[in-house]
């Protein structure tokens, strides 16, 4: 999905290339757990399984087969919007944090919602996704 000159699907009012695109392309780090969560949502929108895989914490990283299945599913649905509900810790100086969100998508003729409270942890000074809590 081409979005270089479009607003970022993460919900912030920035162009993709200077928002989550810069994180996807290793031009900047996700400074907070929320930044990483938003960049992961956009990776789902783009069907970018490689980024989803590498942004998982090493202790919880899915197998290559699981990552391919996640990518295939992400490309099969129509992503609508991301809504951040709440954050706890997860700022630049923190080492852990949570982000509660709702991700809306269209699948099998109806709108579905992923309602998750995600746990993030720094590894080698970078934010990574651990899992749902």
């Amino acid at each position: 999905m081409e979005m270089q000159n479009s607003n970022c699907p993460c919900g912030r009012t920035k162009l993709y290339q200077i928002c989550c695109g810069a994180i996807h392309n290793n031009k900047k780090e996700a400074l907070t757990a929320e930044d990483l969560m938003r960049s992961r949502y956009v990776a789902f929108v783009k069907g970018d399984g490689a980024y989803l895989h590498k942004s998982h914490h090493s202790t919880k990283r899915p197998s290559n087969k699981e990552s391919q299945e996640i990518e295939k599913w992400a490309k099969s649905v129509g992503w609508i919007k991301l809504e951040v509900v709440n954050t706890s810790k997860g700022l630049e100086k923190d080492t852990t944090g949570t982000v509660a969100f709702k991700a809306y998508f269209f699948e099998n003729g109806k709108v579905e919602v992923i309602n998750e409270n995600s746990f993030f942890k720094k590894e080698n000074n970078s934010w990574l996704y651990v899992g749902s809590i």
Side-chain angles (χ1 to χ4, degrees):
M1 173 180 266
E2 184 58 43
M3 57 178 72
Q4 290 302 325
N5 295 313
S6 311
N7 279 343
C8 193
C10 80
R12 292 183 168 145
T13 55
K14 295 180 185 174
L15 292 177
Y16 166 75
Q17 63 190 4
I18 60 171
C19 192
C20 293
I23 297 170
H24 291 166
N25 296 313
N26 298 314
K27 292 185 175 151
K28 73 175 186 179
E29 284 279 325
L31 298 178
T32 66
E34 182 180 342
D35 289 346
L36 184 74
M37 189 279 308
R38 287 180 182 274
S39 74
R40 284 179 52 81
Y41 169 80
V42 176
F44 274 97
V45 172
K46 291 175 56 78
D48 185 349
Y51 180 80
L52 292 169
H53 185 82
K54 92 172 190 181
S55 61
H56 254 93
H57 195 273
S58 64
T59 61
K60 299 289 185 177
R61 195 165 284 143
S63 70
N64 286 336
K65 184 177 184 205
E66 289 169 319
S67 289
Q68 289 170 351
E69 290 168 5
I70 292 166
E71 181 177 331
K72 183 179 176 184
W73 174 78
K75 290 177 176 178
S76 76
V77 302
W79 294 95
I80 301 169
K81 72 172 183 173
L82 173 68
E83 185 180 304
V84 174
V85 177
N86 188 38
T87 61
S88 174
K89 295 186 180 177
L91 300 176
E92 279 187 69
K93 294 185 193 268
D94 294 321
T95 56
T96 63
T98 63
V99 181
F101 69 89
K102 293 179 182 180
Y104 297 83
F105 60 96
F106 195 73
E107 183 178 36
N108 297 325
K110 60 182 180 178
V111 174
E112 301 283 354
V113 182
I114 298 169
N115 192 352
E116 182 176 305
N117 192 11
S118 295
F119 180 66
F120 298 87
K121 186 175 182 179
K122 278 190 178 174
E123 183 175 65
N124 299 323
N125 210 31
S126 294
W127 284 108
L128 294 167
Y129 173 71
V130 177
S132 175
I133 54 171

